[in-house]
């Protein structure tokens, strides 16, 4: 029998963590890290998400860093020659792909996938039900002091949601949809034909999501147009786009796809990235009532400029990329970081590691 050697360092002796975050680490969390990993040195640098320049960070903070926690501030390999592990603040990985340290090394970069499930799923269901129950129209009537009943809406019982990208967000959307009587179809890039393959061991708040993969009544997968169209043509009343943005998902939903969704007048919810939808085709589908409506928290372009046609497109709810916002974000992110530090100290595979092959 051949024994596999695993490098462990339970105290993280000799390691230095630099955190570039928009909020400070809580004192109790820092104390916990010191107790659990007494050999770990920690340096904190405050910078708004999406900002921060490596050259502006004090030399004593970034010297000899081996573990980096950051939003989008990435050093080159020459600037951080001892770097061994990067934990990013965002659940998305699209901005990681062009970082030189990612492209030119095998250093694991890990996302914060899992922090968004509760709040974004609330946004998805909230906007879907708001449209279904005609709340925007009733608010307009209220503002005009008009007491008038609109046509009777349908309800969700027996309707079907298709979740394109069955990660932490999609799994929590599925949990809520099942609770209100909906059927669930899931679409993933890779096949999930066995109970084991349908499990998800990445972070999710206790009691939430679908870690065992039990909610979908049918699973779809693939990367071809036919496989995508089979999923979209499976009788969807609601399509939720929660897949990562990659080269293969840019413009994924366009004229053909909207025509397929139009068979049941589906409602479209996009909380992924705006580029996943062809904007011109999207406007045409809404204005022509091919689909019943949509809610988007992301746009293409973004930020959405004044005068853009999406602002006045009918049956559309737009929010300015806020569905992931929550006061619990930092708490959930630190739980992911702690889990990965534990794994790192034991020489185990890290959670949420970005695949250099798949791009997410």
């Amino acid at each position: 029998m051949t024994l596999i050697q695993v490098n462990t360092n339970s105290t993280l002796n000799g390691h230095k963590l630099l955190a570039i975050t928009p909020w400070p680490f809580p004192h109790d969390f820092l104390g916990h890290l010191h107790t659990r990993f007494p050999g770990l040195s920690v340096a904190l640098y405050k910078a708004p998400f999406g900002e921060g320049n490596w050259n502006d960070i004090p030399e004593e903070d970034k010297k000899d860093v081996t573990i980096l926690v950051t939003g989008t501030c990435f050093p080159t390999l020459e600037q951080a020659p001892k770097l061994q592990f990067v934990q990013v603040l965002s659940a998305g990985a699209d901005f990681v792909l062009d970082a030189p340290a990612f492209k030119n090394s095998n250093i694991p970069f890990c996302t914060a996938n899992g922090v968004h499930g509760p709040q974004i799923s609330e946004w998805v269901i909230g906007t879907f039900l708001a449209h279904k129950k005609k709340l925007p129209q009733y608010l307009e009537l209220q503002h005009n002091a008009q007491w008038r009943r609109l046509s009777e809406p349908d309800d969700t019982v027996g309707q079907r949601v298709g979740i394109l990208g069955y990660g932490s967000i999609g799994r929590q959307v599925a949990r809520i949809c099942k609770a209100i009587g909906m059927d669930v179809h899931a679409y993933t890039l890779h096949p999930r034909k066995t109970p084991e393959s349908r499990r998800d061991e990445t972070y999710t708040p206790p009691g939430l999501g679908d870690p065992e993969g039990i909610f979908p009544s049918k699973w779809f997968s693939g990367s071809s147009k036919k496989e995508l169209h089979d999923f979209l043509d499976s009788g969807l009343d609601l399509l939720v786009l929660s897949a990562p943005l990659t080269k293969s998902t840019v413009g994924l939903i366009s004229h053909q796809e909207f025509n397929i969704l139009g068979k049941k007048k589906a409602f479209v919810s996009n909380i992924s990235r705006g580029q996943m939808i062809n904007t011109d085709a999207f406007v045409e589908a809404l204005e022509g009532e091919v689909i019943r409506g949509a809610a988007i928290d992301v746009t293409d372009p973004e930020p959405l400029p004044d005068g853009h046609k999406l602002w006045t497109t009918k049956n559309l709810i737009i929010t300015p990329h806020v569905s992931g916002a929550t006061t619990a974000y930092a708490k959930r992110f630190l739980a992911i970081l702690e889990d990965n530090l534990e794994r790192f100290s034991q020489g185990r595979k890290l959670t949420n590691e970005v695949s250099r092959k798949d791009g997410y």
Side-chain angles (χ1 to χ4, degrees):
M1 179 182 293
T2 301
L3 296 178
I4 299 175
Q5 294 293 326
V6 177
N7 294 322
T8 62
N9 182 350
S10 62
T11 67
L12 292 179
N13 186 48
H15 282 281
K16 180 175 183 178
L17 182 152
L18 169 62
I20 307 170
T21 61
W23 24 258
F25 280 16
H27 290 298
D28 58 345
F29 181 75
L30 285 172
H32 175 68
L33 284 187
H34 178 70
T35 300
R36 174 61 190 86
F37 307 109
L40 178 65
S41 172
V42 177
L44 305 178
Y45 183 80
K46 188 175 181 180
F49 184 86
E51 300 181 23
N53 187 302
W54 187 260
N55 294 325
D56 294 336
I57 300 172
E59 191 64 36
E60 61 271 21
D61 288 343
K62 61 187 180 183
K63 182 181 178 182
D64 297 330
V65 61
T66 60
I67 302 169
L68 176 64
V69 177
T70 182
T72 59
C73 182
F74 302 114
T76 63
L77 293 173
E78 292 74 21
Q79 291 172 323
K82 296 184 178 182
L83 191 62
Q84 297 183 36
F85 154 43
V86 178
Q87 175 69 63
V88 298
L89 299 173
S90 171
D94 43 297
F95 59 86
V96 169
L97 305 181
D98 291 327
F102 179 80
K103 294 194 296 183
N104 302 324
S105 78
N106 290 319
I107 296 171
F109 278 61
C110 301
T111 71
N113 182 37
V115 298
H116 289 135
Q119 65 270 31
I120 292 186
S121 61
E122 290 173 0
W123 183 96
V124 168
I125 302 305
T127 52
F128 173 56
L129 293 180
H131 179 273
K132 182 180 286 288
K133 301 303 181 184
K134 307 180 188 297
L135 296 188
Q137 297 95 313
Y138 278 119
L139 284 172
E140 185 66 25
L141 290 172
Q142 176 186 339
H143 292 155
N144 294 324
Q146 291 182 282
W147 182 278
R148 181 162 63 90
R149 292 183 175 180
L150 304 176
S151 60
E152 289 186 354
D154 57 2
D155 57 45
T156 61
V157 177
Q159 294 193 350
R160 177 172 294 145
V161 57
I163 303 174
L164 200 162
Y166 204 62
S168 61
I169 296 170
R171 288 170 185 254
Q172 180 62 12
V173 170
R175 175 175 286 272
I176 298 176
C177 286
K178 288 292 289 184
I180 58 177
M182 298 185 75
D183 183 37
V184 177
H185 282 182
Y187 189 94
T188 58
L189 176 61
H190 303 293
R192 304 289 185 97
K193 295 181 179 180
T194 65
E196 292 76 15
S197 68
R198 292 171 180 175
R199 292 178 182 145
D200 181 17
E201 296 181 357
T202 57
Y203 170 82
T204 190
L208 302 184
D210 182 18
E212 297 297 320
I214 61 173
F215 291 142
S217 63
K218 192 169 183 179
W219 292 74
F220 296 79
S221 66
S223 57
S224 70
K225 280 281 188 181
K226 181 184 183 307
E227 289 163 321
L228 173 64
H229 290 175
D230 287 344
F231 165 68
L232 298 179
D233 201 17
S234 63
L236 305 183
D237 299 283
L238 167 63
L239 171 67
V240 179
L241 300 178
S242 56
L245 182 68
T246 65
K247 291 180 181 179
S248 62
T249 60
V250 172
L252 189 67
I253 307 300
S254 192
H255 294 89
Q256 278 186 299
E257 291 70 35
F258 284 121
N259 287 335
I260 294 171
L261 292 168
K263 293 180 181 181
K264 284 205 73 177
K265 299 286 185 182
F267 185 91
V268 175
S269 179
N270 188 12
I271 47 79
S272 176
R273 290 290 186 268
Q275 297 95 315
M276 285 190 68
I277 293 179
N278 178 308
T279 298
D280 290 338
F282 186 39
V283 172
E284 289 179 21
L286 285 166
E287 290 291 345
E289 298 184 359
V290 175
I291 57 176
R292 75 174 70 181
I296 56 175
D297 187 49
V298 288
T299 60
D300 182 24
E302 188 176 314
L304 197 61
D306 292 346
H308 194 280
K309 54 190 174 184
L310 278 174
W311 286 121
T312 55
T313 299
K314 67 181 181 181
N315 296 323
L316 177 61
I317 297 172
I318 302 174
T319 57
H321 209 145
V322 295
S323 64
T326 175
T327 56
Y329 193 102
K331 178 181 178 182
R332 293 177 189 146
F333 171 80
L334 293 176
I336 294 172
L337 173 61
E338 182 178 357
D339 180 32
N340 263 340
L341 288 175
E342 190 71 43
R343 291 167 179 255
F344 185 68
S345 73
Q346 298 172 358
R348 296 163 52 209
K349 180 177 174 57
L350 303 179
T351 192
N352 294 345
E353 184 173 347
V354 180
S355 167
R356 285 170 167 82
K357 176 184 176 182
D358 295 330
Y360 65 89

